[in-house]
Structure formats: C-alpha cells, structure tokens
C-alpha cells in the first residue's frame, strides 16, 4: 500500500516537473522572441512582407540632423542645460538610429522597401522630393530652411512623429558643422520654435502609448497624434494605414 502511494506521489511530482519545465521553456521562448523584436523589429513582419511592403514611389527622410543633435555634446544637451556652448556641433555622417530619430520605424520601413534619403540630400537638392509621390518623415525635429520649404511644398507628406521642424539649423559642409539658428527659447527667451509652423504638434510627443492613435489631415498631408516608436513594432494596422495613405 505504501509502495503504491509512493509511486503515485512520484508520478505527480514528475508531472509537476514536466509542467513547470514546459512553462519555463515557453517563458524563455517568449522572452527571446520579445528581445529579438525589440532589437530587430523588422523581423516581426517577415511573413507579411508582401501585404505591408511599400506601394512604390514613397521615400523616408532619415533625420540625420536630429541624430547629431541628440548625440553626446549635441544641441539637445544645450537645450537640456548640460552644455552652454553646444549650439554648434560637428556632424557625424553615419546612420546611428536611436529612439530620438525613430529608429524602429526606420528599420521597419526600410525593410518593407520604402526608399530612404536623408536631411543632407534634401538640403543640397530640394528638388529631389518631386521624384516621389509620397514623403514620410520620422522624427525630423532639426531641419534646415531648404529642407523645411521643400517638405512643405510637397503635396503628400506623412508626418509619422510629432515635433517636426522644432529647430532650425544651418550646415557648413566645408567644415562639417551644424549650427542652431532658432528653436525653443533660442536665440531669445520668447522664441517658440524654429519655424513658427502653424501645424506644430510637438504636444503629442510624450504620448508613446498610442492607445487611440490616428492620422489627421493638414494642408499637405497627414500627421500622427502620438510617438509610434513602440507601436510600430507591434501594429500591422499602422503599417497598413501608412501604405494606404501613401497609395492615394
């Protein structure tokens, strides 16, 4: 009798061990999958490539000036009060996508076949945007006047991140320098933004949850009402909407 009870107890213990092991394995798999997507968000959409891929003649402007502004010793450090002299900074021409540029969106849209150019391309040749039916901005917070005017003159722009055109800068290509000309509280305390743009939507920047996200129309395109850096790695609905707008 005791032997049967012992055997039965051992069977229960073995069953529990198997169950716990399986659950832990699933947890590990989920953890690994989440980490992979967080580091390589484009892998989330491998199986949906045909459905979500670029409709064709649509270009993404990579915000390389914003990337430089948010680097160590960049203009953002001046705004934050960490560096009084950082209104002029050296430019790094390499792409180093970070949260402040819209890194996940960049990786995903590039993977899905959207053309990519950067701020320098538009500043040097504003006419380049006429080659594309639709222009997508990421977090293009720091732009030159040439770029600002070129984007506003395009009829179909998707402003994917709030806070576009917050600061006006100029570029010295010979010395490889970027200089802040105008932004919030600069050069004077009553300065509001780089271009005093009537469609400034920087008030949406802190909304990173995007629970009630939507695009709304402005004169030359559509703006998203939140920062989609986390949303875009999990929302094929957002990518479908981007593709739909770009197709019209």
């Amino acid at each position: 009798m005791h032997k049967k009870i012992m055997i039965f107890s051992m069977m229960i213990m073995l069953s529990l061990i198997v169950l716990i092991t399986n659950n832990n394995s699933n947890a590990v798999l989920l953890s690994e999958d989440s980490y992979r997507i967080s580091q390589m968000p484009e892998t989330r959409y491998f199986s949906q490539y045909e459905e979500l891929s670029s409709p064709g003649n649509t270009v993404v402007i990579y915000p390389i000036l914003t990337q430089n502004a948010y680097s160590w010793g960049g203009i953002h450090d001046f705004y934050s009060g960490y560096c009084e002299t950082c209104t002029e900074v050296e430019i790094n021409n390499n792409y180093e996508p970070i949260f402040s540029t819209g890194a996940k969106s960049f990786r995903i849209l590039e993977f899905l076949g959207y053309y990519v150019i950067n701020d320098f391309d538009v500043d040097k040749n504003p006419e380049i945007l006429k080659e594309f039916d639709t222009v997508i901005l990421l977090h293009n917070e720091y732009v030159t006047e040439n770029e600002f005017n070129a984007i506003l003159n395009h009829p179909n722009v998707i402003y994917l991140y709030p806070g576009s055109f917050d600061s006006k800068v100029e570029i010295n290509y010979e010395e490889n320098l970027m200089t802040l000309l105008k932004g919030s509280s600069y050069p004077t305390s009553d300065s509001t933004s780089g271009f005093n743009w009537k469609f400034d939507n920087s008030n949406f920047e802190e909304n990173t949850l995007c629970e009630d996200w939507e695009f709304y129309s402005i004169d030359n395109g559509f703006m998203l009402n939140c920062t989609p850096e986390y949303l875009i790695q999990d929302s094929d609905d957002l990518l479908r909407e981007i593709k739909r707008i770009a197709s019209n």
Side-chain angles (χ1 to χ4, degrees), residues 15-56:
S15 298
L16 286 173
I17 290 170
V18 169
L19 180 63
I20 291 170
T21 301
N22 286 340
N23 285 342
N24 286 341
S25 297
N26 289 337
V28 169
L29 286 174
L30 286 173
S31 177
E32 288 177 351
D33 193 52
S34 298
Y35 179 77
R36 171 181 57 79
I37 291 174
S38 71
Q39 299 302 306
M40 297 182 292
E42 65 274 17
T43 61
R44 158 79 163 75
Y45 298 109
F46 279 175
S47 63
Q48 294 174 280
Y49 181 86
E50 291 299 327
E51 175 192 0
L52 301 176
S53 61
S54 169

Short mmCIF file of all heavy atoms in Angstrom, two decimals, residues 15-56:
data_model
loop_
_atom_site.label_atom_id
_atom_site.label_comp_id
_atom_site.label_asym_id
_atom_site.label_seq_id
_atom_site.Cartn_x
_atom_site.Cartn_y
_atom_site.Cartn_z
N SER A 15 5.00 14.82 -13.05
CA SER A 15 4.07 15.61 -13.87
C SER A 15 4.25 17.09 -13.60
O SER A 15 4.25 17.92 -14.53
CB SER A 15 2.62 15.19 -13.58
OG SER A 15 2.41 13.84 -13.91
N LEU A 16 4.42 17.44 -12.33
CA LEU A 16 4.62 18.85 -11.98
C LEU A 16 5.92 19.38 -12.54
O LEU A 16 5.99 20.52 -13.04
CB LEU A 16 4.61 19.01 -10.45
CG LEU A 16 3.24 18.89 -9.78
CD1 LEU A 16 3.40 18.88 -8.26
CD2 LEU A 16 2.33 20.06 -10.19
N ILE A 17 6.96 18.56 -12.49
CA ILE A 17 8.27 18.98 -13.03
C ILE A 17 8.18 19.23 -14.52
O ILE A 17 8.68 20.22 -15.05
CB ILE A 17 9.34 17.92 -12.72
CG1 ILE A 17 9.65 17.90 -11.22
CG2 ILE A 17 10.63 18.19 -13.52
CD1 ILE A 17 10.52 16.74 -10.79
N VAL A 18 7.49 18.32 -15.24
CA VAL A 18 7.32 18.48 -16.69
C VAL A 18 6.54 19.73 -16.98
O VAL A 18 6.87 20.52 -17.88
CB VAL A 18 6.61 17.24 -17.28
CG1 VAL A 18 6.20 17.51 -18.73
CG2 VAL A 18 7.52 16.02 -17.20
N LEU A 19 5.46 19.96 -16.21
CA LEU A 19 4.62 21.14 -16.42
C LEU A 19 5.40 22.42 -16.18
O LEU A 19 5.35 23.36 -16.99
CB LEU A 19 3.41 21.07 -15.48
CG LEU A 19 2.41 22.24 -15.58
CD1 LEU A 19 1.79 22.27 -16.97
CD2 LEU A 19 1.32 22.08 -14.52
N ILE A 20 6.15 22.44 -15.09
CA ILE A 20 6.94 23.64 -14.76
C ILE A 20 8.01 23.87 -15.83
O ILE A 20 8.24 25.00 -16.27
CB ILE A 20 7.58 23.50 -13.37
CG1 ILE A 20 6.49 23.55 -12.30
CG2 ILE A 20 8.61 24.59 -13.13
CD1 ILE A 20 6.98 23.18 -10.91
N THR A 21 8.65 22.77 -16.25
CA THR A 21 9.70 22.89 -17.28
C THR A 21 9.13 23.45 -18.57
O THR A 21 9.72 24.33 -19.19
CB THR A 21 10.35 21.52 -17.54
OG1 THR A 21 10.90 21.03 -16.32
CG2 THR A 21 11.43 21.63 -18.60
N ASN A 22 7.98 22.92 -18.98
CA ASN A 22 7.34 23.41 -20.21
C ASN A 22 6.96 24.87 -20.10
O ASN A 22 7.17 25.65 -21.03
CB ASN A 22 6.10 22.57 -20.53
CG ASN A 22 6.45 21.20 -21.07
OD1 ASN A 22 7.57 21.00 -21.54
ND2 ASN A 22 5.52 20.26 -20.99
N ASN A 23 6.41 25.24 -18.96
CA ASN A 23 6.02 26.64 -18.76
C ASN A 23 7.24 27.56 -18.80
O ASN A 23 7.21 28.63 -19.39
CB ASN A 23 5.28 26.81 -17.43
CG ASN A 23 3.86 26.28 -17.49
OD1 ASN A 23 3.31 26.09 -18.58
ND2 ASN A 23 3.27 26.02 -16.32
N ASN A 24 8.32 27.11 -18.14
CA ASN A 24 9.53 27.92 -18.14
C ASN A 24 10.12 28.03 -19.55
O ASN A 24 10.62 29.07 -19.95
CB ASN A 24 10.58 27.32 -17.20
CG ASN A 24 10.22 27.57 -15.73
OD1 ASN A 24 9.42 28.46 -15.44
ND2 ASN A 24 10.81 26.80 -14.85
N SER A 25 10.04 26.92 -20.30
CA SER A 25 10.54 26.94 -21.68
C SER A 25 9.75 27.91 -22.52
O SER A 25 10.30 28.67 -23.31
CB SER A 25 10.44 25.53 -22.29
OG SER A 25 11.27 24.64 -21.59
N ASN A 26 8.43 27.89 -22.34
CA ASN A 26 7.58 28.84 -23.07
C ASN A 26 7.92 30.27 -22.70
O ASN A 26 7.96 31.16 -23.55
CB ASN A 26 6.10 28.57 -22.80
CG ASN A 26 5.62 27.28 -23.45
OD1 ASN A 26 6.22 26.83 -24.42
ND2 ASN A 26 4.57 26.69 -22.91
N ALA A 27 8.16 30.48 -21.40
CA ALA A 27 8.50 31.82 -20.94
C ALA A 27 9.82 32.29 -21.55
O ALA A 27 9.95 33.43 -21.96
CB ALA A 27 8.59 31.85 -19.41
N VAL A 28 10.80 31.34 -21.61
CA VAL A 28 12.08 31.68 -22.21
C VAL A 28 11.91 32.01 -23.69
O VAL A 28 12.47 32.98 -24.20
CB VAL A 28 13.08 30.52 -22.03
CG1 VAL A 28 14.32 30.75 -22.87
CG2 VAL A 28 13.45 30.38 -20.56
N LEU A 29 11.09 31.20 -24.38
CA LEU A 29 10.85 31.44 -25.80
C LEU A 29 10.18 32.80 -26.01
O LEU A 29 10.54 33.55 -26.92
CB LEU A 29 9.97 30.32 -26.38
CG LEU A 29 10.66 28.98 -26.58
CD1 LEU A 29 9.66 27.92 -27.01
CD2 LEU A 29 11.77 29.10 -27.63
N LEU A 30 9.19 33.11 -25.18
CA LEU A 30 8.52 34.40 -25.29
C LEU A 30 9.50 35.53 -25.02
O LEU A 30 9.49 36.55 -25.70
CB LEU A 30 7.34 34.47 -24.30
CG LEU A 30 6.10 33.66 -24.68
CD1 LEU A 30 5.10 33.67 -23.53
CD2 LEU A 30 5.45 34.20 -25.95
N SER A 31 10.36 35.33 -24.01
CA SER A 31 11.33 36.36 -23.68
C SER A 31 12.30 36.57 -24.82
O SER A 31 12.62 37.70 -25.18
CB SER A 31 12.08 35.97 -22.40
OG SER A 31 13.07 36.89 -22.09
N GLU A 32 12.79 35.48 -25.42
CA GLU A 32 13.73 35.58 -26.53
C GLU A 32 13.08 36.24 -27.73
O GLU A 32 13.68 37.06 -28.42
CB GLU A 32 14.24 34.18 -26.90
CG GLU A 32 15.19 33.60 -25.88
CD GLU A 32 15.63 32.19 -26.24
OE1 GLU A 32 15.06 31.62 -27.20
OE2 GLU A 32 16.52 31.66 -25.56
N ASP A 33 11.81 35.88 -27.98
CA ASP A 33 11.09 36.47 -29.12
C ASP A 33 10.89 37.96 -28.93
O ASP A 33 11.08 38.75 -29.85
CB ASP A 33 9.73 35.77 -29.28
CG ASP A 33 9.08 36.10 -30.61
OD1 ASP A 33 9.74 35.92 -31.65
OD2 ASP A 33 7.92 36.53 -30.61
N SER A 34 10.52 38.36 -27.72
CA SER A 34 10.32 39.79 -27.43
C SER A 34 11.63 40.56 -27.58
O SER A 34 11.65 41.67 -28.11
CB SER A 34 9.78 39.97 -26.00
OG SER A 34 8.52 39.36 -25.88
N TYR A 35 12.72 39.94 -27.10
CA TYR A 35 14.02 40.61 -27.22
C TYR A 35 14.42 40.76 -28.68
O TYR A 35 14.91 41.81 -29.10
CB TYR A 35 15.09 39.81 -26.47
CG TYR A 35 16.47 40.43 -26.57
CD1 TYR A 35 16.81 41.55 -25.82
CD2 TYR A 35 17.42 39.91 -27.45
CE1 TYR A 35 18.06 42.14 -25.92
CE2 TYR A 35 18.67 40.49 -27.57
CZ TYR A 35 18.98 41.60 -26.80
OH TYR A 35 20.22 42.18 -26.91
N ARG A 36 14.21 39.70 -29.47
CA ARG A 36 14.55 39.76 -30.89
C ARG A 36 13.79 40.89 -31.58
O ARG A 36 14.37 41.67 -32.33
CB ARG A 36 14.21 38.42 -31.57
CG ARG A 36 14.32 38.46 -33.09
CD ARG A 36 13.95 37.13 -33.71
NE ARG A 36 12.62 36.69 -33.36
CZ ARG A 36 11.51 37.16 -33.92
NH1 ARG A 36 11.58 38.09 -34.85
NH2 ARG A 36 10.33 36.71 -33.56
N ILE A 37 12.49 40.99 -31.30
CA ILE A 37 11.68 42.02 -31.95
C ILE A 37 12.10 43.41 -31.48
O ILE A 37 12.13 44.36 -32.26
CB ILE A 37 10.18 41.78 -31.67
CG1 ILE A 37 9.72 40.53 -32.42
CG2 ILE A 37 9.34 42.99 -32.09
CD1 ILE A 37 8.31 40.11 -32.12
N SER A 38 12.45 43.54 -30.21
CA SER A 38 12.87 44.85 -29.71
C SER A 38 14.18 45.30 -30.36
O SER A 38 14.39 46.49 -30.58
CB SER A 38 13.03 44.82 -28.18
OG SER A 38 14.16 44.07 -27.80
N GLN A 39 15.06 44.34 -30.68
CA GLN A 39 16.35 44.67 -31.28
C GLN A 39 16.29 44.72 -32.80
O GLN A 39 16.99 45.50 -33.44
CB GLN A 39 17.42 43.66 -30.85
CG GLN A 39 17.65 43.63 -29.35
CD GLN A 39 18.07 44.97 -28.79
OE1 GLN A 39 19.03 45.57 -29.26
NE2 GLN A 39 17.34 45.46 -27.80
N MET A 40 15.47 43.86 -33.38
CA MET A 40 15.30 43.80 -34.84
C MET A 40 13.81 43.81 -35.16
O MET A 40 13.22 42.78 -35.53
CB MET A 40 15.98 42.54 -35.40
CG MET A 40 17.48 42.50 -35.19
SD MET A 40 18.25 41.02 -35.92
CE MET A 40 17.56 39.73 -34.86
N PRO A 41 13.15 44.95 -34.99
CA PRO A 41 11.68 45.00 -35.10
C PRO A 41 11.16 44.57 -36.46
O PRO A 41 10.02 44.13 -36.59
CB PRO A 41 11.36 46.47 -34.81
CG PRO A 41 12.63 47.21 -35.09
CD PRO A 41 13.72 46.28 -34.70
N GLU A 42 12.00 44.67 -37.50
CA GLU A 42 11.55 44.29 -38.83
C GLU A 42 11.25 42.79 -38.93
O GLU A 42 10.44 42.36 -39.78
CB GLU A 42 12.60 44.68 -39.88
CG GLU A 42 13.93 43.97 -39.79
CD GLU A 42 14.91 44.62 -38.82
OE1 GLU A 42 14.47 45.43 -37.97
OE2 GLU A 42 16.10 44.30 -38.90
N THR A 43 11.85 41.98 -38.04
CA THR A 43 11.61 40.53 -38.11
C THR A 43 10.17 40.18 -37.76
O THR A 43 9.70 39.10 -38.12
CB THR A 43 12.56 39.77 -37.17
OG1 THR A 43 12.34 40.19 -35.80
CG2 THR A 43 14.02 40.05 -37.52
N ARG A 44 9.49 41.07 -37.09
CA ARG A 44 8.07 40.86 -36.76
C ARG A 44 7.23 40.74 -38.03
O ARG A 44 6.15 40.14 -38.03
CB ARG A 44 7.61 42.03 -35.89
CG ARG A 44 6.13 42.31 -35.85
CD ARG A 44 5.37 41.37 -34.93
NE ARG A 44 4.07 41.90 -34.62
CZ ARG A 44 3.02 41.91 -35.46
NH1 ARG A 44 3.15 41.42 -36.68
NH2 ARG A 44 1.87 42.41 -35.08
N TYR A 45 7.72 41.30 -39.14
CA TYR A 45 6.88 41.41 -40.34
C TYR A 45 7.40 40.59 -41.52
O TYR A 45 6.97 40.81 -42.65
CB TYR A 45 6.75 42.88 -40.73
CG TYR A 45 6.07 43.70 -39.66
CD1 TYR A 45 6.78 44.63 -38.90
CD2 TYR A 45 4.72 43.52 -39.38
CE1 TYR A 45 6.16 45.36 -37.90
CE2 TYR A 45 4.09 44.24 -38.38
CZ TYR A 45 4.81 45.16 -37.64
OH TYR A 45 4.19 45.87 -36.64
N PHE A 46 8.28 39.64 -41.26
CA PHE A 46 8.80 38.81 -42.36
C PHE A 46 7.67 38.13 -43.13
O PHE A 46 7.66 38.13 -44.36
CB PHE A 46 9.76 37.75 -41.82
CG PHE A 46 11.15 38.27 -41.56
CD1 PHE A 46 12.10 37.45 -40.96
CD2 PHE A 46 11.52 39.55 -41.90
CE1 PHE A 46 13.39 37.90 -40.72
CE2 PHE A 46 12.80 40.03 -41.67
CZ PHE A 46 13.73 39.20 -41.08
N SER A 47 6.72 37.56 -42.41
CA SER A 47 5.66 36.79 -43.06
C SER A 47 4.61 37.69 -43.72
O SER A 47 3.77 37.20 -44.48
CB SER A 47 4.97 35.87 -42.05
OG SER A 47 4.35 36.64 -41.02
N GLN A 48 4.66 39.01 -43.44
CA GLN A 48 3.66 39.93 -44.02
C GLN A 48 4.29 40.90 -45.01
O GLN A 48 3.70 41.93 -45.33
CB GLN A 48 2.98 40.73 -42.89
CG GLN A 48 2.14 39.89 -41.95
CD GLN A 48 1.63 40.73 -40.78
OE1 GLN A 48 2.37 40.97 -39.81
NE2 GLN A 48 0.39 41.16 -40.86
N TYR A 49 5.45 40.54 -45.50
CA TYR A 49 6.18 41.46 -46.36
C TYR A 49 5.36 41.91 -47.56
O TYR A 49 5.25 43.12 -47.85
CB TYR A 49 7.50 40.84 -46.82
CG TYR A 49 8.30 41.78 -47.69
CD1 TYR A 49 9.17 42.71 -47.13
CD2 TYR A 49 8.16 41.75 -49.08
CE1 TYR A 49 9.89 43.60 -47.92
CE2 TYR A 49 8.88 42.63 -49.89
CZ TYR A 49 9.73 43.55 -49.30
OH TYR A 49 10.42 44.44 -50.08
N GLU A 50 4.78 40.99 -48.27
CA GLU A 50 4.03 41.35 -49.49
C GLU A 50 2.85 42.25 -49.17
O GLU A 50 2.57 43.22 -49.88
CB GLU A 50 3.54 40.08 -50.20
CG GLU A 50 4.66 39.24 -50.81
CD GLU A 50 5.43 40.00 -51.88
OE1 GLU A 50 4.81 40.83 -52.57
OE2 GLU A 50 6.65 39.76 -52.01
N GLU A 51 2.16 41.95 -48.08
CA GLU A 51 0.98 42.73 -47.70
C GLU A 51 1.34 44.16 -47.28
O GLU A 51 0.63 45.11 -47.61
CB GLU A 51 0.26 42.03 -46.55
CG GLU A 51 -0.93 42.81 -46.00
CD GLU A 51 -1.46 42.27 -44.69
OE1 GLU A 51 -0.89 41.26 -44.18
OE2 GLU A 51 -2.42 42.84 -44.16
N LEU A 52 2.45 44.32 -46.55
CA LEU A 52 2.76 45.61 -45.94
C LEU A 52 3.85 46.39 -46.66
O LEU A 52 4.13 47.53 -46.29
CB LEU A 52 3.21 45.38 -44.48
CG LEU A 52 2.20 44.68 -43.57
CD1 LEU A 52 2.81 44.43 -42.19
CD2 LEU A 52 0.92 45.50 -43.43
N SER A 53 4.44 45.82 -47.69
CA SER A 53 5.57 46.47 -48.35
C SER A 53 5.17 47.77 -49.03
O SER A 53 3.99 48.04 -49.28
CB SER A 53 6.20 45.53 -49.38
OG SER A 53 5.25 45.18 -50.37
N SER A 54 6.16 48.59 -49.32
CA SER A 54 5.94 49.91 -49.93
C SER A 54 5.08 49.81 -51.18
O SER A 54 5.27 48.91 -52.00
CB SER A 54 7.29 50.53 -50.28
OG SER A 54 7.11 51.67 -51.10
N PRO A 55 4.14 50.75 -51.34
CA PRO A 55 3.31 50.74 -52.55
C PRO A 55 4.07 51.20 -53.78
O PRO A 55 3.54 51.16 -54.89
CB PRO A 55 2.19 51.72 -52.20
CG PRO A 55 2.81 52.68 -51.23
CD PRO A 55 3.76 51.83 -50.42
N GLY A 56 5.30 51.66 -53.59
CA GLY A 56 6.07 52.07 -54.76
C GLY A 56 6.87 53.33 -54.51
O GLY A 56 7.82 53.32 -53.74
#
